[in-house]
Amino acid sequence: MNAITVEPKKPRSARFEKVPEPSLRDGSILVEAIAVGVCGTDLEIAEGKYGWPPPGQDRLVLGHESLGRVIDPGSSSSFHKGDHVVGIVRRPDPVPCPNCAVGEWDMCRNGQYTERGIKQINGYMSERWSIEPEYAIKVDSSLGLLGVLLEPTTVVTKAWEQVVTIGQRAFWEPRTVLVTGAGPIGLLAALLGVQRGLEVHVLDRAESGSKPDLVRALGAKYHTGTVRNVGFEPDVLIECTGVGTVVAEAVQTVASGGIVCLTGVGSGGWSAGLAAAEVAAEVVLKNNVIVGSVNANKRHWYKASEALSRADRGWLSHLLTRCERPENFAQALERKPEDIKVVIQFAEV
Ligand SMILES: [Zn+2]
């Protein structure tokens, strides 16, 4: 079969090439790939900045935002031929650490977890893949291609769960949320904010294109410019850019007793004249919490699939801005100004 593979840590090594059929070692359910979403992590792996091949191999099958159709459910009685499924990305570390031992692999303590398409396990950008029944999530087949949005939705589902858990430390009635960054993660974070009944604001650099319309279509308010100039102090701030100045201003702008949830990974730029002690003073005097959130466990996958089923299909479909064929993977791995979510489509839905 064909797959999109890379040699991790080697820039421009991506290829669309023949690889062996899926191994039962990766799981007893055999799946035909429908589509795989492309995200920043994939671009970083393709640029040679990140990624680890399976032990004893040089190349890694890329892709962690999957959507497929069951060809053969194997011995599993809970999956059937034709079911639409998405594969969970992370697997617990082999030790395991206490968190992985209780199924919270998203909170792994020792960093020895593995991840499909990223860290030591082949990903989902192959014509067929196999998966363990306990790491396969059934998705509403009426979502069609939109099921490929499940993985990014799990990331924001976990982020929201963290925010709500932290909020319970005191009397807490959040009313407003500001999401910084209107990429797929930011837009999905805004969607979940609307589903929670909050007044949602989204800030992004883009002054035109589909992002402002998508935000307004949610019933949320779109802002450009700086976080400090949004004109209010948000109770919750979900940061999805990883840009240093945005992070610094988020901490300064959030309301007293507010929560800043960081989901973006960037580098440099903690400027805005804010030194560590000043950040600490802001946080102390306002009882703020700054929390980082990454990945998701099975509970978040379940909740995310519920959230996706409840969302407006027309709105979700506007997040998928470009669909490329696997042999055109090079274009899929290029960032274009109008892109929100690019998918590589392997088969008809
Ligand atoms: Zn662990």
Side-chain angles (χ1 to χ4, degrees):
M1 65 171 178
N2 292 305
I4 299 163
T5 69
V6 291
E7 189 178 328
K9 311 273 167 67
K10 191 176 170 195
R12 292 174 298 282
S13 62
R15 287 203 294 254
F16 183 56
E17 63 176 349
K18 286 261 182 284
V19 298
E21 286 291 325
S23 159
L24 279 179
R25 221 185 29 222
D26 289 336
S28 56
I29 301 181
L30 182 65
V31 178
E32 169 197 21
I34 296 173
V36 186
V38 177
C39 86
T41 303
D42 298 309
L43 305 191
E44 286 189 352
I45 295 171
E47 287 163 9
K49 291 180 184 160
Y50 201 72
W52 295 261
Q57 293 177 38
D58 297 327
R59 300 186 72 83
L60 170 77
V61 176
L62 198 59
H64 58 276
E65 298 185 2
S66 62
L67 173 67
R69 182 167 29 235
V70 173
I71 302 173
D72 181 355
S75 54
S76 165
S77 55
S78 39
F79 291 90
H80 301 97
K81 190 171 189 280
D83 282 349
H84 283 196
V85 290
V86 173
I88 289 177
V89 179
R90 193 175 282 192
R91 298 292 178 275
D93 77 77
V95 176
C97 76
N99 290 69
C100 284
V102 299
E104 290 183 353
W105 52 72
D106 58 316
M107 303 292 286
C108 181
R109 300 284 298 281
N110 63 22
Q112 293 178 48
Y113 60 81
T114 54
E115 289 177 330
R116 290 198 70 156
I118 302 171
K119 191 167 183 271
Q120 299 168 322
I121 329 176
N122 280 328
Y124 299 111
M125 286 185 189
S126 51
E127 290 174 305
R128 284 169 291 284
W129 38 271
S130 58
I131 185 135
E132 315 89 321
E134 61 273 32
Y135 292 103
I137 303 288
K138 216 180 283 190
V139 286
D140 187 346
S141 61
S142 73
L143 280 167
L145 198 57
L146 300 172
V148 80
L149 291 168
L150 183 58
E151 195 278 339
T153 308
T154 67
V155 170
V156 293
T157 300
K158 175 184 171 182
W160 270 110
E161 198 185 87
Q162 293 285 308
V163 166
V164 170
T165 304
I166 292 162
Q168 303 310 318
R169 72 198 161 129
F171 181 76
W172 191 59
E173 285 183 331
R175 197 177 59 80
T176 57
V177 54
L178 174 65
V179 177
T180 49
I185 294 292
L187 289 167
L188 289 167
L191 168 71
L192 297 201
V194 169
Q195 286 187 349
R196 287 183 170 274
L198 295 172
E199 179 188 310
V200 178
H201 298 253
V202 179
L203 178 137
D204 193 275
R205 296 186 291 199
E207 302 202 345
S208 58
S210 59
K211 290 177 178 178
D213 290 339
L214 278 165
V215 169
R216 286 182 206 118
L218 279 177
K221 186 154 193 261
Y222 190 79
H223 301 259
T224 54
T226 64
V227 178
R228 283 178 112 162
N229 290 330
V230 290
F232 71 106
E233 294 180 346
D235 299 318
V236 175
L237 200 153
I238 302 198
E239 206 299 297
C240 308
T241 70
V243 175
T245 50
V246 178
V247 175
E249 291 198 18
V251 173
Q252 291 172 296
T253 307
V254 74
S256 286
I259 301 163
V260 176
C261 182
L262 306 177
T263 68
V265 179
S267 60
W270 184 282
S271 53
L274 209 62
E278 289 170 310
V279 175
E282 290 265 349
V283 174
V284 170
L285 296 174
K286 296 199 294 185
N287 281 302
N288 289 339
V289 176
I290 305 170
V291 59
S293 180
V294 69
N295 199 255
N297 66 40
K298 200 162 183 177
R299 183 173 68 250
H300 308 124
W301 283 81
Y302 179 80
K303 288 164 87 174
S305 73
E306 300 270 289
L308 217 48
S309 288
R310 277 200 304 276
D312 181 83
R313 307 284 159 96
W315 186 84
L316 289 174
S317 69
H318 285 107
L319 301 189
L320 305 184
T321 46
R322 197 149 59 88
C323 204
E324 300 281 4
R325 295 183 57 78
E327 51 271 36
N328 296 336
F329 68 90
Q331 280 96 306
L333 295 173
E334 250 170 52
R335 227 177 273 230
K336 299 188 178 167
E338 277 298 289
D339 287 340
I340 295 177
K341 174 59 68 186
V342 175
V343 300
I344 300 178
Q345 190 164 358
F346 283 80
E348 288 304 309
V349 179

